[in-house]
Amino acid sequence: MDIIISNNANKPIYEQITAQIKAMIMSGELEAGDAIPSMRALARSAHVSVITVQKAYEDLQRDGFIETTVGRGSFVSARNKEFYQEEQQRIAEGHLQAAAEIGRISNISLEKLTELLALFYNGEE
């Protein structure tokens, strides 16, 4: 498993690990039931402390992406994609709510906001 850690990123290292593993699961690179490296093995390969990897794995387990069994290790959970999409939708809804409020206050038309969203969504910034 290739995890790339950036010391220049504005995210803590454990969040970088968490985000990359979530991305691997969402892309299908890691599938339900796949084993993920032990905390020690990932810490060694990423050149970080075991405590940092432990925090990432705890977050992944809490969010339903992995399941850990004592003596067997950690595995990709079967229910993760749906959960992640719901989580991301809630985040998007928060941003859209803020954009709608700005639009109302600033008299930006719904049509203009919709047009801007379409541009960003289609990558035509």
Side-chain angles (χ1 to χ4, degrees):
M1 176 182 294
D2 292 327
I3 299 289
I4 299 162
I5 303 300
S6 170
N7 292 324
N8 298 330
N10 56 0
K11 267 186 180 179
I13 293 171
Y14 78 91
E15 285 183 10
Q16 292 178 49
I17 294 168
T18 302
Q20 288 179 54
I21 292 175
K22 282 182 180 181
M24 288 178 204
I25 292 169
M26 292 306 297
S27 72
E29 186 178 335
L30 289 174
E31 296 181 354
D34 285 352
I36 60 172
S38 71
M39 287 184 235
R40 281 192 177 92
L42 184 56
R44 206 172 22 256
S45 70
H47 306 290
V48 297
S49 79
V50 173
I51 294 169
T52 300
V53 176
Q54 180 181 11
K55 174 71 173 132
Y57 279 25
E58 285 170 357
D59 285 357
L60 288 165
Q61 188 165 350
R62 180 198 67 223
D63 292 345
F65 282 88
I66 66 170
E67 297 168 355
T68 302
T69 306
V70 177
R72 286 197 60 227
S74 297
F75 300 87
V76 176
S77 174
R79 61 183 183 144
N80 51 47
K81 276 193 179 183
E82 226 174 83
F83 183 84
Y84 182 73
Q85 286 174 327
E86 286 176 18
E87 174 187 319
Q88 294 301 79
Q89 183 175 329
R90 277 194 303 276
I91 292 168
E93 287 170 0
H95 290 292
L96 290 171
Q97 185 174 12
E101 186 68 24
I102 291 167
R104 271 194 302 276
I105 291 169
S106 305
N107 285 330
I108 300 170
S109 71
L110 177 58
E111 291 77 22
K112 185 62 177 175
L113 288 174
T114 304
E115 179 185 318
L116 289 169
L117 176 60
L119 285 173
F120 291 128
Y121 188 87
N122 294 321
E124 301 171 16
E125 305 176 43

